[in-house]
Amino acid sequence: MSAELYDAAIVATAKETANAERLPAPDLTVEEDNPLCGDRITLDLAFREGRVAAVGHKTRGCLLTRAAAVVLARRAVGADPAELRRAVASLRALLAGQGGPPAWPELSMFEPVRAVPSRHDCVLLPFRALETALDRRERERPA
Amino acid sequence: MSAGPARAPAAEADRLDLAGLRAEFPIFAAQGPRFHYLDSAATGQICRAAAEALLGFETRGRANVKRGVYRLADEATRAFEEARARIAAYLGAREAREVVITSGTTHALNIAAHTLCARLRPGDEILVSQAEHHSNIVPWQLAGERVGAVIRAIPLDREGRLDLDRLDALVSRRTKVIAVTHCSNVTGAVTDIGRIREAAQAVGALLVVDGAQRVPHGPVDVQALGCDLYAFSGHKLFAATGAGALWIRRELAEELPPFLGGGEMIRRVAIERSTFAAPPHRFEAGTPPIGPAIALGAACAWLAGLDWARIHAHEMALAGRLLAGLGTIRGVRPLGPEGLQARAPLVSFVVDGVHPHDVCQLLDERGVCTRGGHHCAQPLHEALGLEASTRASLALYNDEADVDALLEGLEDVVRRLA
């Protein structure tokens, strides 16, 4: 199982966090911790005309957390909040072994994590930060 | 994996009947040979004596304690109080009534914090250390905040031990409680309790010791330690989950107010106010964890009969093998004291460029059970400039194959991910 968790795609994707940068002037910044291990993501989002215009992040975590952060940062740009929430829901469904293919094809790389429940939170950490950011945006900018 | 002095057979261990000892832990037969359990600092495996005592009570002797007058209830009460006496004996307590049955160390330290803080005033100080488990920090914060007490901390020295040279600067007449670990759950460093006791006694402070990581490595003598309260968990002492103990020096216990209120802990209840039972029942509100406590008593009785000089030599020989082996693997850095002096047989380490969860996941492929994370010791990790580490913790039942499987697994981790 671990061999699948650490396949080339996840390892290579995780390494991209080395190039990640924070946004100079984000509309929203959210910090989310994994209380089990102290892993942390600081996620910046900038919006334009109701869609994500830019994503920045600083991620301190395991390979799974870092790979998830990279996928999120790559795919969130251009998406509106409804699409982002669908992506989060599809990732949760993938980890639970429910539903069809994930909203973003890259999320399929996390399929092997389904069998290791103790690592689900690692993959979900960046997406929990995204949800917190979207919740806060809705509270601050009611429709 | 290159063979070296670290992998030489431990001569001391040859004198221990390790096969016989391991046979007293049912998990090893159940899990088979490819099972290397190096997470005893989180939870020790249950010994046969405790497992049989638990099952015996729950299936043949189950009744609530202290309340019933029928034979079964009387026998349950007798078994429960016998367990208290066995725990007291393991701790070197003067009397069984000094032992409060708790759900574990966390519960015990919450009792300690809340009952001791009830006597504090604004500006009084509680001294903990940077090496503490969160269970010996957060309860003091919660209870201390209510009375306006100030939390201070003994820093770590270069080796990751408590820097006791700072005691003079930290302890004053304002210090009312000192609460420290007997043994760090991350570095394995054993605290010089005697030196802290002297500092506490000089200013009249009470000394609370978290013994969770110390008791699995042999009986304790709380009287010789000179502390006032001592806490530990049964599940780390090869008993069931759900029971632990708080030893409170008798004269002190008599003076302290209860923590939780409810049944069993009262003398008389009226609507306006209540009066409370004498210790230890004053601190045992509600139905206690009867079966787990009886199991803990059985574990204490069995453990007390073992040859701890041999077991200590065995455990430390394995710890030495582990430390030396870690030192031969590129990019692996052990934390804490460099040698075996005044340390428990547990070693935490970092693997450069590899997250502890990823280390543990790959080790699991080989049946090696380790723990990654901050181990509920975030201030300690922060003091070491880390967020997390990987921990391998040894107990009396481990053998050289366990250590070697870990070392070989780590070489593979480094090869694949570092």
Side-chain angles (χ1 to χ4, degrees), chain A residues 2-3 5-6 11 34-39 60-64 116 119 122, chain B residues 353 355 357-359 361-362 364-365 371-375 378 387-388 416-417:
Chain A
S2 299
L5 286 191
Y6 297 107
V11 174
N34 182 342
L36 187 65
C37 55
D39 285 355
R60 180 182 80 196
C62 64
L63 284 171
L64 299 177
V116 192
R119 304 301 299 277
C122 304
Chain B
H355 191 279
H357 277 176
D358 298 324
V359 174
Q361 194 80 57
L362 287 176
D364 181 54
E365 279 182 2
R371 182 154 295 252
H374 52 57
H375 316 302
Q378 286 186 307
E387 287 85 38
R416 288 164 68 176
L417 296 184

PDB file of all heavy atoms in Angstrom, chain A residues 2-3 5-6 11 34-39 60-64 116 119 122, chain B residues 353 355 357-359 361-362 364-365 371-375 378 387-388 416-417:
ATOM      1  N   SER A   2       1.909   1.273   0.882  1.00  0.00           N
ATOM      2  CA  SER A   2       2.739   2.466   0.950  1.00  0.00           C
ATOM      3  C   SER A   2       3.406   2.762  -0.378  1.00  0.00           C
ATOM      4  O   SER A   2       3.596   3.911  -0.749  1.00  0.00           O
ATOM      5  CB  SER A   2       3.791   2.304   2.041  1.00  0.00           C
ATOM      6  OG  SER A   2       3.157   2.139   3.280  1.00  0.00           O
ATOM      7  N   ALA A   3       3.755   1.685  -1.103  1.00  0.00           N
ATOM      8  CA  ALA A   3       4.402   1.886  -2.399  1.00  0.00           C
ATOM      9  C   ALA A   3       3.498   2.703  -3.308  1.00  0.00           C
ATOM     10  O   ALA A   3       3.953   3.585  -4.049  1.00  0.00           O
ATOM     11  CB  ALA A   3       4.726   0.535  -3.022  1.00  0.00           C
ATOM     12  N   LEU A   5       1.150   4.786  -2.254  1.00  0.00           N
ATOM     13  CA  LEU A   5       1.039   6.143  -1.705  1.00  0.00           C
ATOM     14  C   LEU A   5       2.190   7.010  -2.182  1.00  0.00           C
ATOM     15  O   LEU A   5       2.052   8.212  -2.340  1.00  0.00           O
ATOM     16  CB  LEU A   5       1.069   6.118  -0.170  1.00  0.00           C
ATOM     17  CG  LEU A   5      -0.158   5.637   0.580  1.00  0.00           C
ATOM     18  CD1 LEU A   5      -0.005   5.945   2.064  1.00  0.00           C
ATOM     19  CD2 LEU A   5      -1.405   6.294   0.057  1.00  0.00           C
ATOM     20  N   TYR A   6       3.325   6.383  -2.366  1.00  0.00           N
ATOM     21  CA  TYR A   6       4.514   7.153  -2.698  1.00  0.00           C
ATOM     22  C   TYR A   6       4.936   6.902  -4.142  1.00  0.00           C
ATOM     23  O   TYR A   6       6.110   6.750  -4.434  1.00  0.00           O
ATOM     24  CB  TYR A   6       5.625   6.839  -1.696  1.00  0.00           C
ATOM     25  CG  TYR A   6       5.206   7.252  -0.307  1.00  0.00           C
ATOM     26  CD1 TYR A   6       4.861   6.314   0.652  1.00  0.00           C
ATOM     27  CD2 TYR A   6       5.072   8.595   0.005  1.00  0.00           C
ATOM     28  CE1 TYR A   6       4.421   6.715   1.903  1.00  0.00           C
ATOM     29  CE2 TYR A   6       4.629   9.005   1.244  1.00  0.00           C
ATOM     30  CZ  TYR A   6       4.308   8.054   2.198  1.00  0.00           C
ATOM     31  OH  TYR A   6       3.870   8.462   3.429  1.00  0.00           O
ATOM     32  N   VAL A  11       5.037  11.981  -5.395  1.00  0.00           N
ATOM     33  CA  VAL A  11       6.341  12.503  -4.969  1.00  0.00           C
ATOM     34  C   VAL A  11       6.722  13.717  -5.817  1.00  0.00           C
ATOM     35  O   VAL A  11       7.140  14.761  -5.286  1.00  0.00           O
ATOM     36  CB  VAL A  11       7.418  11.399  -5.058  1.00  0.00           C
ATOM     37  CG1 VAL A  11       8.799  11.970  -4.764  1.00  0.00           C
ATOM     38  CG2 VAL A  11       7.096  10.260  -4.084  1.00  0.00           C
ATOM     39  N   ASN A  34      -3.007  20.683  10.943  1.00  0.00           N
ATOM     40  CA  ASN A  34      -3.334  19.299  11.278  1.00  0.00           C
ATOM     41  C   ASN A  34      -2.883  19.104  12.725  1.00  0.00           C
ATOM     42  O   ASN A  34      -1.685  19.048  12.994  1.00  0.00           O
ATOM     43  CB  ASN A  34      -2.595  18.335  10.348  1.00  0.00           C
ATOM     44  CG  ASN A  34      -2.955  16.887  10.625  1.00  0.00           C
ATOM     45  OD1 ASN A  34      -3.472  16.571  11.695  1.00  0.00           O
ATOM     46  ND2 ASN A  34      -2.676  16.018   9.679  1.00  0.00           N
ATOM     47  N   PRO A  35      -3.826  19.032  13.670  1.00  0.00           N
ATOM     48  CA  PRO A  35      -3.423  19.008  15.077  1.00  0.00           C
ATOM     49  C   PRO A  35      -2.620  17.773  15.473  1.00  0.00           C
ATOM     50  O   PRO A  35      -1.932  17.761  16.479  1.00  0.00           O
ATOM     51  CB  PRO A  35      -4.747  19.069  15.837  1.00  0.00           C
ATOM     52  CG  PRO A  35      -5.796  18.686  14.864  1.00  0.00           C
ATOM     53  CD  PRO A  35      -5.276  18.998  13.494  1.00  0.00           C
ATOM     54  N   LEU A  36      -2.695  16.742  14.668  1.00  0.00           N
ATOM     55  CA  LEU A  36      -1.981  15.505  14.972  1.00  0.00           C
ATOM     56  C   LEU A  36      -0.473  15.672  14.877  1.00  0.00           C
ATOM     57  O   LEU A  36       0.281  15.137  15.677  1.00  0.00           O
ATOM     58  CB  LEU A  36      -2.446  14.409  14.010  1.00  0.00           C
ATOM     59  CG  LEU A  36      -1.956  13.006  14.264  1.00  0.00           C
ATOM     60  CD1 LEU A  36      -2.504  12.475  15.570  1.00  0.00           C
ATOM     61  CD2 LEU A  36      -2.360  12.093  13.120  1.00  0.00           C
ATOM     62  N   CYS A  37      -0.053  16.428  13.880  1.00  0.00           N
ATOM     63  CA  CYS A  37       1.383  16.493  13.610  1.00  0.00           C
ATOM     64  C   CYS A  37       1.915  17.914  13.511  1.00  0.00           C
ATOM     65  O   CYS A  37       3.119  18.100  13.364  1.00  0.00           O
ATOM     66  CB  CYS A  37       1.695  15.757  12.319  1.00  0.00           C
ATOM     67  SG  CYS A  37       0.726  16.356  10.942  1.00  0.00           S
ATOM     68  N   GLY A  38       1.030  18.892  13.601  1.00  0.00           N
ATOM     69  CA  GLY A  38       1.487  20.267  13.504  1.00  0.00           C
ATOM     70  C   GLY A  38       1.691  20.747  12.081  1.00  0.00           C
ATOM     71  O   GLY A  38       2.183  21.856  11.860  1.00  0.00           O
ATOM     72  N   ASP A  39       1.329  19.939  11.088  1.00  0.00           N
ATOM     73  CA  ASP A  39       1.436  20.402   9.709  1.00  0.00           C
ATOM     74  C   ASP A  39       0.521  21.600   9.511  1.00  0.00           C
ATOM     75  O   ASP A  39      -0.531  21.705  10.138  1.00  0.00           O
ATOM     76  CB  ASP A  39       1.036  19.286   8.739  1.00  0.00           C
ATOM     77  CG  ASP A  39       2.121  18.228   8.634  1.00  0.00           C
ATOM     78  OD1 ASP A  39       3.195  18.425   9.227  1.00  0.00           O
ATOM     79  OD2 ASP A  39       1.892  17.209   7.961  1.00  0.00           O
ATOM     80  N   ARG A  60       3.618  23.382   4.984  1.00  0.00           N
ATOM     81  CA  ARG A  60       4.596  22.602   5.751  1.00  0.00           C
ATOM     82  C   ARG A  60       3.908  21.283   6.075  1.00  0.00           C
ATOM     83  O   ARG A  60       2.935  21.261   6.827  1.00  0.00           O
ATOM     84  CB  ARG A  60       4.904  23.369   7.036  1.00  0.00           C
ATOM     85  CG  ARG A  60       5.883  22.734   7.957  1.00  0.00           C
ATOM     86  CD  ARG A  60       6.035  23.589   9.194  1.00  0.00           C
ATOM     87  NE  ARG A  60       4.940  23.372  10.130  1.00  0.00           N
ATOM     88  CZ  ARG A  60       4.627  24.181  11.140  1.00  0.00           C
ATOM     89  NH1 ARG A  60       5.285  25.301  11.309  1.00  0.00           N
ATOM     90  NH2 ARG A  60       3.654  23.893  11.961  1.00  0.00           N
ATOM     91  N   GLY A  61       4.361  20.205   5.451  1.00  0.00           N
ATOM     92  CA  GLY A  61       3.644  18.965   5.691  1.00  0.00           C
ATOM     93  C   GLY A  61       4.286  17.767   5.032  1.00  0.00           C
ATOM     94  O   GLY A  61       5.370  17.849   4.440  1.00  0.00           O
ATOM     95  N   CYS A  62       3.578  16.666   5.101  1.00  0.00           N
ATOM     96  CA  CYS A  62       4.057  15.419   4.505  1.00  0.00           C
ATOM     97  C   CYS A  62       3.858  15.469   2.990  1.00  0.00           C
ATOM     98  O   CYS A  62       3.276  16.416   2.455  1.00  0.00           O
ATOM     99  CB  CYS A  62       3.316  14.241   5.118  1.00  0.00           C
ATOM    100  SG  CYS A  62       1.550  14.257   4.767  1.00  0.00           S
ATOM    101  N   LEU A  63       4.299  14.430   2.327  1.00  0.00           N
ATOM    102  CA  LEU A  63       4.183  14.395   0.866  1.00  0.00           C
ATOM    103  C   LEU A  63       2.725  14.503   0.431  1.00  0.00           C
ATOM    104  O   LEU A  63       2.427  15.165  -0.573  1.00  0.00           O
ATOM    105  CB  LEU A  63       4.785  13.088   0.337  1.00  0.00           C
ATOM    106  CG  LEU A  63       6.314  13.017   0.309  1.00  0.00           C
ATOM    107  CD1 LEU A  63       6.759  11.596  -0.027  1.00  0.00           C
ATOM    108  CD2 LEU A  63       6.883  13.999  -0.703  1.00  0.00           C
ATOM    109  N   LEU A  64       1.825  13.866   1.148  1.00  0.00           N
ATOM    110  CA  LEU A  64       0.415  13.884   0.742  1.00  0.00           C
ATOM    111  C   LEU A  64      -0.173  15.285   0.881  1.00  0.00           C
ATOM    112  O   LEU A  64      -0.892  15.757  -0.012  1.00  0.00           O
ATOM    113  CB  LEU A  64      -0.388  12.879   1.576  1.00  0.00           C
ATOM    114  CG  LEU A  64       0.042  11.417   1.438  1.00  0.00           C
ATOM    115  CD1 LEU A  64      -0.773  10.526   2.372  1.00  0.00           C
ATOM    116  CD2 LEU A  64      -0.112  10.942  -0.003  1.00  0.00           C
ATOM    117  N   VAL A 116      -6.079   4.017   3.603  1.00  0.00           N
ATOM    118  CA  VAL A 116      -5.313   4.393   4.804  1.00  0.00           C
ATOM    119  C   VAL A 116      -6.029   5.564   5.488  1.00  0.00           C
ATOM    120  O   VAL A 116      -5.634   6.725   5.351  1.00  0.00           O
ATOM    121  CB  VAL A 116      -3.862   4.796   4.435  1.00  0.00           C
ATOM    122  CG1 VAL A 116      -3.012   4.903   5.699  1.00  0.00           C
ATOM    123  CG2 VAL A 116      -3.247   3.823   3.454  1.00  0.00           C
ATOM    124  N   ARG A 119      -4.490   8.709   7.001  1.00  0.00           N
ATOM    125  CA  ARG A 119      -3.840   9.728   6.172  1.00  0.00           C
ATOM    126  C   ARG A 119      -4.833  10.597   5.400  1.00  0.00           C
ATOM    127  O   ARG A 119      -4.407  11.480   4.647  1.00  0.00           O
ATOM    128  CB  ARG A 119      -2.855   9.068   5.188  1.00  0.00           C
ATOM    129  CG  ARG A 119      -1.792   8.184   5.814  1.00  0.00           C
ATOM    130  CD  ARG A 119      -0.903   8.911   6.819  1.00  0.00           C
ATOM    131  NE  ARG A 119      -0.156  10.026   6.257  1.00  0.00           N
ATOM    132  CZ  ARG A 119       1.004   9.920   5.603  1.00  0.00           C
ATOM    133  NH1 ARG A 119       1.553   8.745   5.430  1.00  0.00           N
ATOM    134  NH2 ARG A 119       1.627  10.997   5.149  1.00  0.00           N
ATOM    135  N   CYS A 122      -4.366  14.210   5.925  1.00  0.00           N
ATOM    136  CA  CYS A 122      -3.186  14.795   5.279  1.00  0.00           C
ATOM    137  C   CYS A 122      -3.581  15.366   3.916  1.00  0.00           C
ATOM    138  O   CYS A 122      -3.211  16.485   3.557  1.00  0.00           O
ATOM    139  CB  CYS A 122      -2.089  13.741   5.110  1.00  0.00           C
ATOM    140  SG  CYS A 122      -1.587  12.912   6.624  1.00  0.00           S
TER     141      CYS A 122
ATOM    142  N   GLY B 353      14.593  15.916   5.208  1.00  0.00           N
ATOM    143  CA  GLY B 353      13.820  15.998   3.972  1.00  0.00           C
ATOM    144  C   GLY B 353      12.644  15.050   3.901  1.00  0.00           C
ATOM    145  O   GLY B 353      11.959  15.004   2.869  1.00  0.00           O
ATOM    146  N   HIS B 355       9.078  13.764   5.851  1.00  0.00           N
ATOM    147  CA  HIS B 355       8.126  14.027   6.919  1.00  0.00           C
ATOM    148  C   HIS B 355       7.942  12.772   7.771  1.00  0.00           C
ATOM    149  O   HIS B 355       7.893  11.653   7.245  1.00  0.00           O
ATOM    150  CB  HIS B 355       6.788  14.435   6.290  1.00  0.00           C
ATOM    151  CG  HIS B 355       5.805  14.978   7.273  1.00  0.00           C
ATOM    152  ND1 HIS B 355       5.044  14.164   8.073  1.00  0.00           N
ATOM    153  CD2 HIS B 355       5.447  16.248   7.580  1.00  0.00           C
ATOM    154  CE1 HIS B 355       4.262  14.921   8.832  1.00  0.00           C
ATOM    155  NE2 HIS B 355       4.485  16.189   8.550  1.00  0.00           N
ATOM    156  N   HIS B 357       5.375  11.410   9.101  1.00  0.00           N
ATOM    157  CA  HIS B 357       4.272  10.534   8.699  1.00  0.00           C
ATOM    158  C   HIS B 357       4.669   9.653   7.517  1.00  0.00           C
ATOM    159  O   HIS B 357       4.252   8.490   7.418  1.00  0.00           O
ATOM    160  CB  HIS B 357       3.045  11.359   8.329  1.00  0.00           C
ATOM    161  CG  HIS B 357       2.236  11.743   9.532  1.00  0.00           C
ATOM    162  ND1 HIS B 357       1.131  12.545   9.461  1.00  0.00           N
ATOM    163  CD2 HIS B 357       2.395  11.428  10.837  1.00  0.00           C
ATOM    164  CE1 HIS B 357       0.639  12.701  10.678  1.00  0.00           C
ATOM    165  NE2 HIS B 357       1.384  12.053  11.518  1.00  0.00           N
ATOM    166  N   ASP B 358       5.465  10.214   6.626  1.00  0.00           N
ATOM    167  CA  ASP B 358       5.918   9.414   5.482  1.00  0.00           C
ATOM    168  C   ASP B 358       6.911   8.341   5.937  1.00  0.00           C
ATOM    169  O   ASP B 358       6.910   7.219   5.423  1.00  0.00           O
ATOM    170  CB  ASP B 358       6.531  10.328   4.413  1.00  0.00           C
ATOM    171  CG  ASP B 358       5.501  11.317   3.868  1.00  0.00           C
ATOM    172  OD1 ASP B 358       4.324  10.932   3.734  1.00  0.00           O
ATOM    173  OD2 ASP B 358       5.870  12.476   3.594  1.00  0.00           O
ATOM    174  N   VAL B 359       7.738   8.694   6.924  1.00  0.00           N
ATOM    175  CA  VAL B 359       8.658   7.699   7.491  1.00  0.00           C
ATOM    176  C   VAL B 359       7.857   6.538   8.078  1.00  0.00           C
ATOM    177  O   VAL B 359       8.105   5.358   7.774  1.00  0.00           O
ATOM    178  CB  VAL B 359       9.551   8.337   8.588  1.00  0.00           C
ATOM    179  CG1 VAL B 359      10.391   7.259   9.280  1.00  0.00           C
ATOM    180  CG2 VAL B 359      10.448   9.420   8.012  1.00  0.00           C
ATOM    181  N   GLN B 361       4.801   5.611   7.547  1.00  0.00           N
ATOM    182  CA  GLN B 361       4.020   4.866   6.553  1.00  0.00           C
ATOM    183  C   GLN B 361       4.883   3.818   5.863  1.00  0.00           C
ATOM    184  O   GLN B 361       4.471   2.667   5.678  1.00  0.00           O
ATOM    185  CB  GLN B 361       3.474   5.850   5.512  1.00  0.00           C
ATOM    186  CG  GLN B 361       2.391   5.265   4.634  1.00  0.00           C
ATOM    187  CD  GLN B 361       1.057   5.262   5.349  1.00  0.00           C
ATOM    188  OE1 GLN B 361       0.592   6.293   5.764  1.00  0.00           O
ATOM    189  NE2 GLN B 361       0.462   4.100   5.493  1.00  0.00           N
ATOM    190  N   LEU B 362       6.101   4.202   5.500  1.00  0.00           N
ATOM    191  CA  LEU B 362       6.973   3.243   4.820  1.00  0.00           C
ATOM    192  C   LEU B 362       7.476   2.161   5.781  1.00  0.00           C
ATOM    193  O   LEU B 362       7.624   0.997   5.388  1.00  0.00           O
ATOM    194  CB  LEU B 362       8.151   3.967   4.173  1.00  0.00           C
ATOM    195  CG  LEU B 362       7.780   4.779   2.919  1.00  0.00           C
ATOM    196  CD1 LEU B 362       8.994   5.549   2.403  1.00  0.00           C
ATOM    197  CD2 LEU B 362       7.236   3.885   1.816  1.00  0.00           C
ATOM    198  N   ASP B 364       5.792   0.944   8.137  1.00  0.00           N
ATOM    199  CA  ASP B 364       4.657   0.030   8.341  1.00  0.00           C
ATOM    200  C   ASP B 364       4.662  -1.104   7.310  1.00  0.00           C
ATOM    201  O   ASP B 364       4.198  -2.204   7.595  1.00  0.00           O
ATOM    202  CB  ASP B 364       3.350   0.826   8.283  1.00  0.00           C
ATOM    203  CG  ASP B 364       2.131  -0.049   8.512  1.00  0.00           C
ATOM    204  OD1 ASP B 364       2.100  -0.744   9.535  1.00  0.00           O
ATOM    205  OD2 ASP B 364       1.218  -0.037   7.663  1.00  0.00           O
ATOM    206  N   GLU B 365       5.187  -0.829   6.117  1.00  0.00           N
ATOM    207  CA  GLU B 365       5.296  -1.889   5.093  1.00  0.00           C
ATOM    208  C   GLU B 365       6.063  -3.086   5.619  1.00  0.00           C
ATOM    209  O   GLU B 365       5.886  -4.206   5.169  1.00  0.00           O
ATOM    210  CB  GLU B 365       6.062  -1.370   3.870  1.00  0.00           C
ATOM    211  CG  GLU B 365       5.262  -0.558   2.912  1.00  0.00           C
ATOM    212  CD  GLU B 365       6.118  -0.154   1.721  1.00  0.00           C
ATOM    213  OE1 GLU B 365       7.298  -0.535   1.627  1.00  0.00           O
ATOM    214  OE2 GLU B 365       5.575   0.575   0.875  1.00  0.00           O
ATOM    215  N   ARG B 371       5.804   5.987  15.630  1.00  0.00           N
ATOM    216  CA  ARG B 371       4.871   7.119  15.708  1.00  0.00           C
ATOM    217  C   ARG B 371       5.518   8.368  15.144  1.00  0.00           C
ATOM    218  O   ARG B 371       6.673   8.667  15.460  1.00  0.00           O
ATOM    219  CB  ARG B 371       4.478   7.361  17.163  1.00  0.00           C
ATOM    220  CG  ARG B 371       3.476   8.483  17.362  1.00  0.00           C
ATOM    221  CD  ARG B 371       2.697   8.255  18.612  1.00  0.00           C
ATOM    222  NE  ARG B 371       1.899   7.055  18.494  1.00  0.00           N
ATOM    223  CZ  ARG B 371       0.571   7.036  18.358  1.00  0.00           C
ATOM    224  NH1 ARG B 371      -0.109   8.160  18.347  1.00  0.00           N
ATOM    225  NH2 ARG B 371      -0.086   5.908  18.243  1.00  0.00           N
ATOM    226  N   GLY B 372       4.775   9.099  14.332  1.00  0.00           N
ATOM    227  CA  GLY B 372       5.266  10.362  13.778  1.00  0.00           C
ATOM    228  C   GLY B 372       4.335  11.487  14.162  1.00  0.00           C
ATOM    229  O   GLY B 372       3.128  11.304  14.205  1.00  0.00           O
ATOM    230  N   GLY B 373       4.897  12.639  14.424  1.00  0.00           N
ATOM    231  CA  GLY B 373       4.078  13.789  14.790  1.00  0.00           C
ATOM    232  C   GLY B 373       4.765  14.580  15.876  1.00  0.00           C
ATOM    233  O   GLY B 373       5.986  14.464  16.065  1.00  0.00           O
ATOM    234  N   HIS B 374       3.996  15.397  16.586  1.00  0.00           N
ATOM    235  CA  HIS B 374       4.623  16.170  17.669  1.00  0.00           C
ATOM    236  C   HIS B 374       4.494  15.462  19.009  1.00  0.00           C
ATOM    237  O   HIS B 374       4.968  15.963  20.030  1.00  0.00           O
ATOM    238  CB  HIS B 374       4.066  17.594  17.738  1.00  0.00           C
ATOM    239  CG  HIS B 374       2.572  17.682  17.797  1.00  0.00           C
ATOM    240  ND1 HIS B 374       1.826  17.073  18.761  1.00  0.00           N
ATOM    241  CD2 HIS B 374       1.691  18.311  16.989  1.00  0.00           C
ATOM    242  CE1 HIS B 374       0.549  17.335  18.577  1.00  0.00           C
ATOM    243  NE2 HIS B 374       0.429  18.069  17.488  1.00  0.00           N
ATOM    244  N   HIS B 375       3.862  14.288  19.003  1.00  0.00           N
ATOM    245  CA  HIS B 375       3.746  13.464  20.211  1.00  0.00           C
ATOM    246  C   HIS B 375       3.146  14.255  21.381  1.00  0.00           C
ATOM    247  O   HIS B 375       3.537  14.062  22.545  1.00  0.00           O
ATOM    248  CB  HIS B 375       5.109  12.876  20.616  1.00  0.00           C
ATOM    249  CG  HIS B 375       5.900  12.335  19.473  1.00  0.00           C
ATOM    250  ND1 HIS B 375       5.420  11.337  18.649  1.00  0.00           N
ATOM    251  CD2 HIS B 375       7.113  12.677  18.974  1.00  0.00           C
ATOM    252  CE1 HIS B 375       6.319  11.083  17.713  1.00  0.00           C
ATOM    253  NE2 HIS B 375       7.343  11.877  17.880  1.00  0.00           N
ATOM    254  N   GLN B 378       4.267  19.941  21.595  1.00  0.00           N
ATOM    255  CA  GLN B 378       4.609  21.006  20.642  1.00  0.00           C
ATOM    256  C   GLN B 378       5.647  21.984  21.200  1.00  0.00           C
ATOM    257  O   GLN B 378       6.575  22.353  20.474  1.00  0.00           O
ATOM    258  CB  GLN B 378       3.344  21.729  20.176  1.00  0.00           C
ATOM    259  CG  GLN B 378       2.534  20.881  19.189  1.00  0.00           C
ATOM    260  CD  GLN B 378       1.357  21.622  18.586  1.00  0.00           C
ATOM    261  OE1 GLN B 378       0.538  22.180  19.306  1.00  0.00           O
ATOM    262  NE2 GLN B 378       1.256  21.622  17.280  1.00  0.00           N
ATOM    263  N   GLU B 387       8.890  20.801  13.883  1.00  0.00           N
ATOM    264  CA  GLU B 387       7.438  20.687  14.026  1.00  0.00           C
ATOM    265  C   GLU B 387       7.058  19.291  14.493  1.00  0.00           C
ATOM    266  O   GLU B 387       6.059  19.093  15.166  1.00  0.00           O
ATOM    267  CB  GLU B 387       6.716  20.956  12.696  1.00  0.00           C
ATOM    268  CG  GLU B 387       6.715  22.401  12.276  1.00  0.00           C
ATOM    269  CD  GLU B 387       7.977  22.746  11.524  1.00  0.00           C
ATOM    270  OE1 GLU B 387       8.459  21.900  10.748  1.00  0.00           O
ATOM    271  OE2 GLU B 387       8.507  23.856  11.722  1.00  0.00           O
ATOM    272  N   ALA B 388       7.840  18.321  14.088  1.00  0.00           N
ATOM    273  CA  ALA B 388       7.463  16.936  14.365  1.00  0.00           C
ATOM    274  C   ALA B 388       8.704  16.049  14.305  1.00  0.00           C
ATOM    275  O   ALA B 388       9.769  16.472  13.838  1.00  0.00           O
ATOM    276  CB  ALA B 388       6.426  16.467  13.350  1.00  0.00           C
ATOM    277  N   ARG B 416      14.519   5.927  -0.705  1.00  0.00           N
ATOM    278  CA  ARG B 416      13.361   6.226  -1.553  1.00  0.00           C
ATOM    279  C   ARG B 416      12.909   7.677  -1.518  1.00  0.00           C
ATOM    280  O   ARG B 416      12.409   8.193  -2.515  1.00  0.00           O
ATOM    281  CB  ARG B 416      12.190   5.320  -1.137  1.00  0.00           C
ATOM    282  CG  ARG B 416      12.419   3.876  -1.554  1.00  0.00           C
ATOM    283  CD  ARG B 416      11.507   2.927  -0.848  1.00  0.00           C
ATOM    284  NE  ARG B 416      10.112   3.068  -1.235  1.00  0.00           N
ATOM    285  CZ  ARG B 416       9.133   2.273  -0.779  1.00  0.00           C
ATOM    286  NH1 ARG B 416       9.425   1.300   0.047  1.00  0.00           N
ATOM    287  NH2 ARG B 416       7.908   2.460  -1.169  1.00  0.00           N
ATOM    288  N   LEU B 417      13.004   8.312  -0.348  1.00  0.00           N
ATOM    289  CA  LEU B 417      12.375   9.630  -0.233  1.00  0.00           C
ATOM    290  C   LEU B 417      13.311  10.786   0.100  1.00  0.00           C
ATOM    291  O   LEU B 417      12.954  11.941  -0.123  1.00  0.00           O
ATOM    292  CB  LEU B 417      11.267   9.592   0.836  1.00  0.00           C
ATOM    293  CG  LEU B 417      10.070   8.686   0.570  1.00  0.00           C
ATOM    294  CD1 LEU B 417       9.039   8.847   1.682  1.00  0.00           C
ATOM    295  CD2 LEU B 417       9.415   8.967  -0.773  1.00  0.00           C
TER     296      LEU B 417
END
